[in-house]
Amino acid sequence: MKFHKIYAALLFISPFTSATTLDLNLDKAMPAIEKLYLDLHQSPELSYHEQQTGQKISRQLKQIGFDVTDNVGGFGVVGIYENGNGPTVMIRTDTDGLPITEQTGKSYASKVTVVNDDGANVGVMHGCGHDIHMSSFVGTAQQLVKHKDSWQGTLMMVAQPAEEVGGGAKAMLKEGLFSKFPTPDHVVALHVSASVPAGKVSMKNEYTMASVDSVDITVKGKGGHGAYPHTTIDPVVIASRIVLALQTVTSRELSPLEPSVITVGSIHGGSKHNVISDQVKLQLTLRSYNPEVRLQQIAAIKRISQGIALSAGLDKSLMPEVYVHEDESIPSTYNSPEQTNIVRSAIRSAIGKDNVLETQAVMAGEDFGLYGRTEQNIPITLFWLGGVEQSQYIAAKKSGQTLPSLHSSKFAPDYKVALPTGIKAMSNAAVALFNN
């Protein structure tokens, strides 16, 4: 079904103001939301396999009264709730779990194991908090429909698969998320934080998460016997020189004012002590905020790899192959300052000014940034929802101990505090954007 939005910004005058704050009493709603959370936590599914998870979200949205479309861009779900003339506000959650065996010791810990696409038996866990995201998402949908007299417009709830592999947002957009459905005027999401105490949120304007690229370098050589290295051109040595040379890209080629990370995460070559192989494979991750820096990183990797290979005496036919996984590349997340200021103000009014913190940008990545990189140049905002249990947070601060991070097998958010905070924060952020 194709939706058409009639929204004349200059003619529409909202009967509400941006200062509208929902006074949410969640006592009755939370038992069902917590039950949903525990169910989602105990039944995680890996990227591109979120069929049951998508069906659970779909059922929830249908029960609330949304017009729901399933299987968008894989197992994605889109729910539309039209509530008069006004802007379209899109709220996004991600749905996939991670191949991690949970070690939190919680009574509700995930015990799911599956055979992955490589044929290996792996545990599955919501180690990045997508279960918190989904439960807050459903709770927000409930509250916005319950309080629909406080806003006008179209509420667009998007449950996106395959965030962890950078493919879900691309797939949904490619399938017509912003053409078959209303094109949003505002896009908002939350992400649970493993470093902020539960009951608080944090955010920042402008760049908040990095672009991410996966790069493979195949270094070629001329193999032979380890006792006669002069008859070979050793790709292990060439690869080692490349690894060291790449460390100078950030320190010597890019502006020190521009954040950049080039990490060689994997190096594989050779088969035996006394055999010089024909090739070595490197796997890299690239991180930056500025799109121009990303292009500089890639260009430098190609130039340095080829230059070192030539200096080793390799023929041009044996130059290193540099492959950028464009299908997995994701842009940086840039929080629109104007929109993020509205969101920040609304959340302060809802949960208290002292509970809304300013944060620093991180080098982790999220494909959420893609929703703002479309032709429509839609403003986006992602904020962090505190997930750390208060006593654990205080103890870690006193001792200097590192808290379990996102993607840790021991990450266990304080869902009883985080969920109502997330629902209040997101519901009020949405109302503010509807009424702005």
Side-chain angles (χ1 to χ4, degrees), residues 53 78 163 178 181 183 186 268 299 303 315-316 339 364 379 409:
T53 303
V78 179
E163 182 276 327
F178 290 170
F181 305 95
T183 301
H186 307 279
H268 289 277
R303 187 194 73 247
D315 186 80
K316 287 189 176 181
Q339 176 174 290
S409 63

Side-chain angles (χ1 to χ4, degrees), residues 2 4 39 76 84 92 100 125 196 229 232 255 266 288 312 398 417 425:
K2 187 168 184 177
H4 298 277
D39 176 37
R92 174 269 206 172
I100 300 172
M125 173 191 179
V196 175
T232 72
S255 166
S266 172
S288 63
K398 287 182 177 179
V417 177

Side-chain angles (χ1 to χ4, degrees), residues 338-408:
E338 181 179 359
Q339 176 174 290
T340 303
N341 286 338
I342 295 171
V343 169
R344 180 185 290 103
S345 178
I347 296 177
R348 282 176 175 171
S349 297
I351 66 173
K353 183 177 180 180
D354 292 342
N355 291 321
V356 181
L357 312 176
E358 290 298 308
T359 189
Q360 299 295 315
V362 298
M363 276 295 180
E366 244 273 13
D367 65 2
F368 177 71
L370 283 163
Y371 298 115
R373 297 296 179 94
T374 61
E375 293 179 1
Q376 296 90 344
N377 196 27
I378 300 165
I380 65 172
T381 299
L382 181 144
F383 64 87
W384 296 93
L385 174 66
V388 185
E389 198 273 324
Q390 281 279 356
S391 62
Q392 184 184 15
Y393 179 83
I394 294 170
K397 281 291 184 182
K398 287 182 177 179
S399 66
Q401 187 176 9
T402 301
L403 291 162
S405 66
L406 296 175
H407 291 212
S408 165

Side-chain angles (χ1 to χ4, degrees), residues 47 58 71 93 102 130 141 149 172 195 198 206 212 220 270 315 318 326 328 333 360 376 384 398 410:
S47 307
S58 177
N71 302 321
T93 186
E102 182 168 352
H130 295 186
D149 291 343
M172 296 192 81
S195 59
E206 301 181 341
V212 179
K220 301 177 183 180
D315 186 80
L318 293 176
E326 296 286 357
E328 296 178 7
T333 296
Q360 299 295 315
Q376 296 90 344
W384 296 93
K398 287 182 177 179
K410 296 183 179 181

Side-chain angles (χ1 to χ4, degrees), residues 218-222 233 238 302-303 305-322:
T218 301
V219 180
K220 301 177 183 180
K222 293 181 180 180
I233 299 180
I238 296 172
K302 292 178 178 178
R303 187 194 73 247
S305 298
Q306 181 170 341
I308 291 175
L310 286 171
S311 72
L314 277 175
D315 186 80
K316 287 189 176 181
S317 64
L318 293 176
M319 288 299 97
E321 296 176 358
V322 178

